[in-house]
Every structure is written in C-alpha cells, then in structure tokens.
Amino acid sequence: MFLSRTPVLPTPEQALKGRPTPEFAVPERHTVLGNPLLGPYPEGFEVADFGLGCFWGAERKFWQTDGVWTTLVGYQGGLTPNPVYEEVCSGLTGHTEAVRVVFDPAKVSYERLLKLFWESHDPTQGFRQGNDVGTQYRSAVYTHSPAQAEAAETSRATYQKVLTGSGHGTITTEILPVEGRTFYPAEGYHQQYLDRNPAGYCGIGGTGVSCPIGVAEAPGVG
C-alpha cells in the first residue's frame, strides 16, 4: 500500500529520532580494492558522494573505475542521526542511499565520475529508480568543494539538453553541499554487496543517453 502513494520527504517533526552513536561497526577494508573504507585516505585524494538508486549496484559501478581508491555505501541527505537500514526504508529518516567514492584526481577526474553517475541511472524519475520506489532512491550529488559544485551544476545542465533532445523529462537530481548532510556508513552486509553476492539484485539502469562530459583524461594521465 505504501508503494501506491507518492513518497514524501519527512519534516523534522516527522523524522525518526535516531541515536547519538552508530548501532554497528563498519568493516575495515574494501573487499575488492583492499583499502580502508573509513580512512585515513592518501593525501591529495578527493571524496565524492552520489545517490543513484539502490547502492549495491551503484557502488560496483564506481569501484570498477580506474583511479578510484575505495568506495563505501551509506545514508545521506536526511534528518535522522545514525539511521539503520530498516529506518531508512521506512521513509521517515529523509536519507537517500549513497555511495562515497575516494579517488585520485591524477588518474580520474571528478567530471569523469559525474559522467558515470549520470549514465548509470535515470535522473528524471524523482523518488524512484525503476521498480525501486521511495525517497531513499532519489538521485543526488553532495559536493565537497565549490569546484565540485560548479562541475555538478554544469554537468546537469549539459545532460538535460541531451536528455530533452532524446525525449526524456526533467532531471530531478538534488545537488547540495555536503556540509550539514552527514554521510552515515551503512551496515557491513551492504558494503561491496555485489562482490560477495555476484548474482545479487542490481536495480539501477541508465537512460541509454550518453552524457557529453568528462571525456578528457585527468591531468598527468597518459
């Protein structure tokens, strides 16, 4: 019955109260890349946060990208501190399922990651991705610097033009600064889920429309 209604983000008054500390520990290392999930990260590396539907399949897209040092999945953009998966699925925390990507900008540009982001899901669907319906599946980019914000906004405008020309609707992706939008790592069983469960569910899929950004190599790559 819940899925028959249009999902709505909760107000601060409606949001679950959460808890002051996490209820679970996060695994130390990435099961594919072998690097720490929570840091410390190498000096000069950057962090990018993306929401593009079910985070199982979304995370795999990024860990398969050259220049990405580690990835982890979590909950972002919501109101409830230290949420657990069941709470996020209730729609009463305001979070979206997100992927945190730690990358070497000398090997892969932020624009290249944005291109992967746009092409790996349908950013026009609002509070859903395919058959996955709920506020936790909304499209989002949470930026870590003014340069990231500018690149994300520019890429959205660029991709909107080609989507419109291909008969698609308006992009609903929220682009917001990470400040005040804490990334809460998800439970251990969600981390690199499709590495441990290769036949597991992956509900993300793109529009089939190429995004004409990020095609140049990062400086120093050759």
Side-chain angles (χ1 to χ4, degrees):
M1 292 296 292
F2 173 76
L3 296 185
S4 67
R5 302 195 303 269
T6 301
V8 178
L9 285 169
T11 65
E13 293 72 28
Q14 295 169 331
L16 299 176
K17 294 186 182 301
R19 52 200 57 80
T21 58
E23 279 205 345
F24 50 84
V26 177
E28 181 180 349
R29 292 188 176 273
H30 199 285
T31 62
V32 178
L33 302 175
N35 295 319
L37 294 187
L38 300 179
Y41 304 137
E43 185 177 354
F45 282 24
E46 296 183 18
V47 177
D49 294 335
F50 303 104
L52 54 157
C54 176
F55 50 22
W56 293 347
E59 184 186 21
R60 182 170 62 184
K61 291 282 188 180
F62 288 103
W63 87 52
Q64 292 176 335
T65 302
D66 290 342
V68 169
W69 192 77
T70 200
T71 60
L72 65 156
V73 297
Y75 313 117
Q76 198 166 15
L79 299 166
T80 300
N82 295 296
V84 298
Y85 182 65
E86 292 76 14
E87 292 173 340
V88 173
C89 290
S90 76
L92 294 176
T93 73
H95 293 91
T96 192
E97 294 190 9
V99 181
R100 173 153 285 184
V101 181
V102 181
F103 65 101
D104 181 353
K107 295 181 178 179
V108 62
S109 67
Y110 182 65
E111 286 77 9
R112 177 69 66 89
L113 298 179
L114 283 168
K115 178 178 176 67
L116 178 61
F117 165 76
W118 293 119
E119 293 179 353
S120 296
H121 74 304
D122 184 344
T124 71
Q125 293 191 327
F127 292 144
R128 60 183 283 258
Q129 272 302 299
N131 293 326
D132 294 331
V133 180
T135 55
Q136 73 270 30
Y137 298 117
R138 70 187 184 274
S139 177
V141 179
Y142 300 109
T143 60
H144 287 255
S145 67
Q148 284 193 4
E150 181 179 0
E153 294 283 359
T154 298
S155 70
R156 179 169 59 182
T158 299
Y159 198 39
Q160 183 65 73
K161 290 179 181 178
V162 294
L163 284 178
T164 300
S166 299
H168 293 271
T170 301
I171 290 174
T172 60
T173 304
E174 62 183 27
I175 299 175
L176 298 167
V178 72
E179 288 79 13
R181 297 172 178 86
T182 302
F183 178 96
Y184 294 103
E187 293 84 343
Y189 68 91
H190 289 303
Q191 305 298 336
Q192 298 87 64
Y193 180 86
L194 291 182
D195 175 51
R196 292 177 288 103
N197 302 274
Y201 171 76
C202 176
I204 68 169
T207 61
V209 178
S210 177
C211 181
I213 64 162
V215 295
E217 293 289 352
V221 177

